[in-house]
Amino acid sequence: MSTPTSTAPTPYATLLGFTRYVDRTGPTKASFVGGLRKQRTSRSGFNPHGQFVKALKADIAFHAGGSHLDGVADLVKPRWRPLYQALVPGATAYLNSLGDPAGVDLVRTRDALAMLGDLPVKINPHFGVRYADGRVDAVRLYFDEAPPSEEARLATLHLMAANMDHILPHAQPVLVDVRRGEAHRTPDSVKPDQVESWLAGEAAAFRAIWATAA
């Protein structure tokens, strides 16, 4: 009788995981990918920001001007309240930057599966925003304590833009640094071909590290 063998997890990254990977250097890249591989194998992971995202989306959808964000910290378990309290001011500033609440609407986005060479990357914006003048944003939220690096911003915005036909046609990608209330867009000076080449190299290295991580 043959002994069952476990199948090694195939290389895979979420948008958040891949952009955190490109933001690292040297040996920290290998340890980070190893951690992602173990997490994939154990199917572990928890998103502490779920209620927060719902509150922000509700404020946009119902033109509520921040009333949902104001109360969201009281709705979560005590262990998460400091996190939510740290996020609310910046998120409120972003909400206010959208202009008159009656002039913006929440729009659904779809996830996309991008292929960087042979590496699948799940592109998952949080929501879309439609303005009264017809402009549309596809928004990805960034929650980390440190501001997003230039590399993280470029990677996130490029991957969203490259898959926008599926995510939300005709929308512009936006990365919102929630803690600071800043909305980042792709600079006009960016050359997409150069970013694509850089990311392809990063993806190839990611796959190589994944294959050697036990």
Side-chain angles (χ1 to χ4, degrees), residues 73-159:
D74 296 327
L75 301 178
V76 296
K77 294 180 180 179
R79 65 175 297 194
W80 298 117
R81 284 176 190 163
L83 169 64
Y84 276 46
Q85 289 165 350
L87 295 173
V88 166
T92 302
Y94 163 69
L95 191 64
N96 291 338
S97 75
L98 300 179
D100 181 1
V104 293
D105 291 299
L106 186 74
V107 184
R108 290 187 62 182
T109 56
R110 293 191 295 175
D111 293 350
L113 190 64
M115 294 299 297
L116 283 174
D118 294 327
L119 178 67
V121 181
K122 183 180 181 181
I123 313 299
N124 49 345
H126 287 94
F127 55 83
V129 175
R130 188 182 306 278
Y131 300 88
D133 62 4
R135 292 178 296 118
V136 186
D137 289 341
V139 178
R140 172 75 193 178
L141 302 175
Y142 176 93
F143 296 102
D144 290 1
E145 289 188 31
S149 67
E150 181 181 4
E151 290 80 6
R153 296 197 304 267
L154 282 176
T156 300
L157 294 169
H158 178 84
L159 288 170

Side-chain angles (χ1 to χ4, degrees), residues 19-20 23 142-153 175-182 184:
T19 54
R20 283 179 169 171
D23 203 21
Y142 176 93
F143 296 102
D144 290 1
E145 289 188 31
S149 67
E150 181 181 4
E151 290 80 6
R153 296 197 304 267
L175 178 65
V176 174
D177 180 357
V178 177
R179 290 177 185 262
R180 282 148 286 271
E182 297 179 3
H184 296 281

